[in-house]
Amino acid sequence: MTKPVHILIIEGRYYNHIGDALLEGATRALDEAGATWEVKTVPGALEIPQVLALAKDADLFDEGGDRPFHGCVALGCVIRGETSHYDIVANESAHQLLSLAIRHGIPFGNAILTVENEAQALARADVNRKNKGREAVLACLEVLRLKRAFRR
């Protein structure tokens, strides 16, 4: 019997109301897919790659053992402000996450929103609108499907 897909969700909770919507979209999609999931929460987007690296270092992505993760979904939001900090956070979090996923073969979906304002973030996070949490889960699950197909 095949073990259900188990996904690590790492969420940056700088904007709680936006995080709530992203998490709702992601967990609904995982539930619909029959997958299990576990959430780890960090203060913001820059901490998300650190947690993914720690999980990989702890061998939590191996296909054996006690409830290993089969993939990862990142949730968070970076809203442009008055300084260049936005560019650093948006670029570095995306770059580091993608680099880790590629280097270690971790199926990954990214829903760290990078937006100009709160209205854009809410439109993208809302489960009844753009639902980027769901899209990140679907991306992760598709990469996992392809990984498994390539191994056959």
Side-chain angles (χ1 to χ4, degrees), residues 56-57 61 99-107 147:
K56 175 57 187 159
D57 288 348
F61 288 99
S99 178
L100 283 162
I102 290 170
R103 186 172 343 124
H104 299 293
I106 301 168
K147 178 181 179 177

Side-chain angles (χ1 to χ4, degrees), residues 13 21 31 52 80 109 113 116-117 138:
R13 272 290 175 156
D31 289 344
L52 179 57
R80 187 178 299 281
L113 307 178
E116 298 295 320
N117 54 56
L138 296 178

Side-chain angles (χ1 to χ4, degrees), residues 38-96:
E38 188 173 323
V39 178
K40 299 296 180 194
T41 303
V42 296
L46 280 180
E47 292 78 28
I48 295 171
Q50 295 175 59
V51 174
L52 179 57
L54 291 169
K56 175 57 187 159
D57 288 348
D59 292 325
L60 297 179
F61 288 99
D62 292 342
E63 296 266 345
D66 186 29
R67 293 190 64 113
F69 296 111
H70 298 100
C72 179
V73 172
L75 306 176
C77 181
V78 184
I79 299 176
R80 187 178 299 281
E82 297 175 0
T83 68
S84 61
H85 185 67
Y86 167 91
D87 297 311
I88 293 166
V89 174
N91 292 333
E92 284 304 314
S93 62
H95 172 77
Q96 294 302 326

Side-chain angles (χ1 to χ4, degrees), residues 9-28 37 39-44 48 73-79 111-113 118 121-127 131-134:
I9 298 172
I10 308 171
E11 61 168 350
R13 272 290 175 156
Y14 196 81
Y15 302 100
N16 285 324
H17 61 302
I18 295 165
D20 289 342
L22 287 168
L23 185 60
E24 180 182 355
T27 57
R28 278 189 192 179
W37 43 270
V39 178
K40 299 296 180 194
T41 303
V42 296
I48 295 171
V73 172
L75 306 176
C77 181
V78 184
I79 299 176
I112 299 177
L113 307 178
E118 184 179 9
L122 291 170
R124 284 158 179 75
D126 190 317
V127 296
N131 200 354
K132 295 298 182 179
R134 176 184 181 77

